Amino acid sequence: MLLRCRHHGPALLYTRRDLGLTTRLFRLYSSNTDTSPEKGITQASKDEGQRIVDPAPVYSETEAEAASANKEGSEDGSESKAPAGPRTRFICDQEPVVVHEMTHPLQSGKWYRIVPEAYEFKQTGTSHMNRVPSLAHGLERVLFNPGVHYLQDPNSGVYNFYPYIRNITQPDEFDYDKLTPYITSSKDSVLMGYARKLKKRFVGSTSSMTHVLSHLYFLVSANKGPDLSSLSMAFESMPERFTRGMRYPASIALRYHDGVYGIDADKSFDVKDSILSVLGKSMEKLLTSTPNEFERYKKENSWKVNTISEENYHYSEFDEFVLRSQLDCRDDRLPRRTFDLKTRGTLAVRMDINNYEKNKGYQILSQKGRLESFEREYYDMARSAFLKYNFQVRIGNMDGIFVAYHNTARMFGFQYISRGEMDRVIYGNEPTGNKAFRSVLILLGKILRSVTEKHPMKDLRVTFDGRKVEALEIWVEVIDDNSEEAFLRKYQEPGFLSTVKRIMKEAYLKPAPTQPSAADPLNTRDPFSQPPQEKYTKTPDEAPEDDSTADDYIDPEKEIFINTNEQITHFTLEMFSTVNGQDTDNSVTVKSKSDEWFINWRMTKSHKTQDELASTYRRLRLRQATYFERSAQDTPEKDLPFMLKMLRRISQRNMWRNEQPKGRVVVNRAIQPITTTPRPRRNSTPSLKRSGCPMFQNKGGRGSVSKKEPTDPAQMGRKSTKVIKTSTTKTRKKNAESDSSKNTDN
């Protein structure tokens, strides 16, 4: 039996069961304090503007014994069989849960609760909807037909869209200076102005916040992976969790300007744009421009571009934030009108991005399969990008994403993925996605506010590290731009980070003795099975995330800069969920929006010495630095992992396919553009009249054709519609009389 209780304002729900009997839900925080008129709230907490839920909870006998066994095991150093999740520690501590509105600064080690429905998204600022471009080249058909659409049919060679978009313009041919430059959140005066007007503390953009929000979602969802059950049996034994690239430490820079903090992505080590990000800018222009318009942006014709168009943004406010989202494309027939453009490089290009020239022969040849298929690209995208794409779509109130698949040399096909489809893959359904997204945004606002109150009016670097499964580590460093400038130049030197990673690589790689064999890995039935002579123990990407062994090969103090002149702060974030009154450490999927899902969380400050914190933080930054460095262009093929060797050989074998064959180009023109209104049905009367039927030739009789034709195009055929647009009333009457006389003569 469960007991439910609600307060006015944000809905509060908390239940406890003790041996099947209902226990009293709300209790006094202290027997010495007076009870306020509101149930469950003490006078002391009311004065502080806080609401305390169940400060002295009662649990079942099994839960209490498990918590006690875990606590005793941690005290004497012995291992305990009891689970040690955040909820178990919550039972041991017997701490109260404080609900909205939370006062600041937050107390270390105290439990707080997030109610997702406490805040609403509101559009703010000037809308740029009318300036957003639309798709060109007939690509709008993809928006209303689910699935992948080949640019060129692999069977017949017929083009389903205009062949002009097949070959991709290379970076040395396109003038990127004619495109609108990207402006970070901290330098966007319009965004800052909205924040000051609305009295908000933080401003951010989709590109700078999505990686951090992903780390918070991993903790909120208890590391729930995406749902890949819709894929074929070829991926049954493949990993289903999010990729390692999604889980590497994420850093943001908080730039303070006149009472507002701008959230920028930390680019300390990711100093150079990859080929995929560079090509993404020109390809977005290609997909939304006619051939004549796009030709003007090539270097040979760029002098014709006189003005640079402004970016189109969507501004919204939520809790502590004013958020900005770039609007790429629109179609008024979609429910939310706008959608995001995403250009997706193939598997071989992404795996070895510094050597994309050697891997651009990798093709997409089929719908299904582990390699060279659209299904493989969808599988990788669901594990590595869907979560970030979903956050961007939600912040910008967009309908979905339009994906263009390519290998940096040619285009293969297109696919439209709605927000609902991404919700089903990531969260399970839309109501779970709505609650999870609101929860992580509220949580990020509370964390950043607590951090900035400890270091007021300073530029800060906040790093989120999710190595631990049940907790998230948060590091705060005061940014010193002058002292860090010399190290930033060092990071940009060619080969610096690759040298660091090569030294670290020796800590993990242990080559096995080779055996002579003539087997070709490309001829194996399973493309992921390794031949005997290529066996290895671990690759750098498979190395354990705990890089403590790297200290034996490199001294972080000499290579990685951190500001030790200011205090370095370290927090540990823990949380568990309460769903319809039941606490759980497991992942949550609500059935409907009426289900109640609360997030209980606390931040605990570390009490280690500054020397210990600095040493651990340097190793963390070292892991960030070496992650961005891929295989160098001069890396011998024998030193590459087996997967990269196989992909490179496949690419070299199919490089000839990038060349467009000479001869006649056949385009499928049978598919008509999708119109807003349904195509009008043709009237059968004119055909009977032309056939000489006497019933339709008697003037004034039943079924006779009137000389005055209808003027509503919706009531006429396509041929009659053209006549109305190009002729006058008198001309139409003459044409009708002449047609009648001709039919009579016949």
Side-chain angles (χ1 to χ4, degrees), residues 10 53 148 300 443 572 615:
V53 179
V148 176
E300 56 186 12
L443 182 60
T572 301
S615 177

Side-chain angles (χ1 to χ4, degrees), residues 61-275:
E61 185 177 359
T62 304
E63 292 174 334
E65 290 177 356
S68 177
N70 182 272
K71 187 174 182 180
E72 292 176 359
S74 60
E75 290 177 354
D76 58 15
S78 60
E79 296 183 0
S80 175
K81 297 182 180 180
R87 181 170 174 267
T88 302
R89 291 188 287 272
F90 172 73
I91 298 174
C92 295
D93 297 338
Q94 294 287 301
E95 290 288 348
V97 176
V98 183
V99 197
H100 291 294
E101 290 285 335
M102 295 182 290
T103 59
H104 291 272
L106 301 179
Q107 299 182 24
S108 176
K110 298 296 182 180
W111 288 91
Y112 297 90
R113 170 171 292 182
I114 289 177
V115 181
E117 293 79 12
Y119 301 97
E120 293 290 338
F121 264 95
K122 297 180 182 179
Q123 182 178 347
T124 186
T126 304
S127 175
H128 298 160
M129 183 69 68
N130 296 330
R131 301 191 321 213
V132 180
S134 302
L135 287 173
H137 316 289
L139 294 172
E140 67 276 359
R141 296 198 304 267
V142 180
L143 302 176
F144 310 100
N145 294 277
V148 176
H149 297 255
Y150 283 95
L151 172 62
Q152 185 180 14
D153 178 44
N155 181 38
S156 61
V158 175
Y159 283 89
N160 293 313
F161 304 95
Y162 291 107
Y164 178 80
I165 60 179
R166 179 189 187 274
N167 296 330
I168 298 176
T169 303
Q170 297 304 303
D172 57 349
E173 302 174 358
F174 192 85
D175 191 353
Y176 292 93
D177 294 334
K178 298 300 181 179
L179 299 179
T180 308
Y182 175 77
I183 303 176
T184 60
S185 303
S186 60
K187 297 181 180 179
D188 191 339
S189 58
V190 177
L191 186 61
M192 287 285 187
Y194 289 147
R196 296 187 183 97
K197 180 180 179 180
L198 298 171
K199 298 181 180 180
K200 301 295 182 179
R201 186 181 292 261
F202 305 104
V203 298
S205 62
T206 54
S207 58
S208 62
M209 297 178 58
T210 50
H211 196 185
V212 171
L213 293 176
S214 299
H215 275 279
L216 294 175
Y217 171 74
F218 296 152
L219 192 61
V220 167
S221 64
N223 291 281
K224 180 174 68 173
D227 181 9
L228 305 175
S229 59
S230 61
L231 301 181
S232 66
M233 295 295 292
F235 295 88
E236 184 178 11
S237 60
M238 297 286 285
E240 295 184 355
R241 62 180 303 188
F242 290 102
T243 60
R244 182 172 177 263
M246 287 285 291
R247 293 179 283 111
Y248 82 94
S251 296
I252 55 176
L254 300 180
R255 301 290 181 176
Y256 179 79
H257 294 284
D258 193 16
V260 180
Y261 290 89
I263 303 175
D264 295 341
D266 181 43
K267 295 290 185 178
S268 301
F269 307 115
D270 192 11
V271 295
K272 184 180 180 180
D273 291 337
S274 65
I275 182 63

Side-chain angles (χ1 to χ4, degrees), residues 398-464:
M398 291 180 278
D399 190 74
I401 59 174
F402 180 92
V403 185
Y405 299 98
H406 67 95
N407 66 353
T408 71
R410 59 167 294 191
M411 202 88 72
F412 296 107
F414 312 94
Q415 183 179 11
Y416 182 73
I417 304 174
S418 65
R419 193 175 92 174
E421 181 178 350
M422 288 189 288
D423 286 346
R424 288 189 294 272
V425 173
I426 300 171
Y427 312 110
N429 52 44
E430 184 178 0
T432 306
N434 293 336
K435 294 178 181 294
F437 177 63
R438 292 171 182 268
S439 298
V440 296
L441 264 183
I442 295 174
L443 182 60
L444 179 62
K446 304 308 177 187
I447 293 173
L448 296 184
R449 181 168 179 179
S450 300
V451 165
T452 53
E453 287 178 346
K454 294 183 180 297
H455 305 276
M457 296 184 293
K458 293 182 180 179
D459 294 346
L460 304 174
R461 178 181 291 112
V462 186
T463 303
F464 297 79

Side-chain angles (χ1 to χ4, degrees), residues 652-665:
Q652 294 173 357
R653 184 182 63 187
N654 294 327
M655 194 72 71
W656 62 274
R657 295 179 181 271
N658 289 335
E659 299 296 331
Q660 190 167 4
K662 298 181 180 180
R664 187 177 64 175
V665 177

Side-chain angles (χ1 to χ4, degrees), residues 618-630:
R618 280 196 182 95
R619 288 196 295 269
L620 170 63
R621 296 288 287 171
L622 177 62
R623 284 195 291 123
Q624 285 184 301
T626 53
Y627 174 83
F628 289 109
E629 187 64 23
R630 305 282 182 165

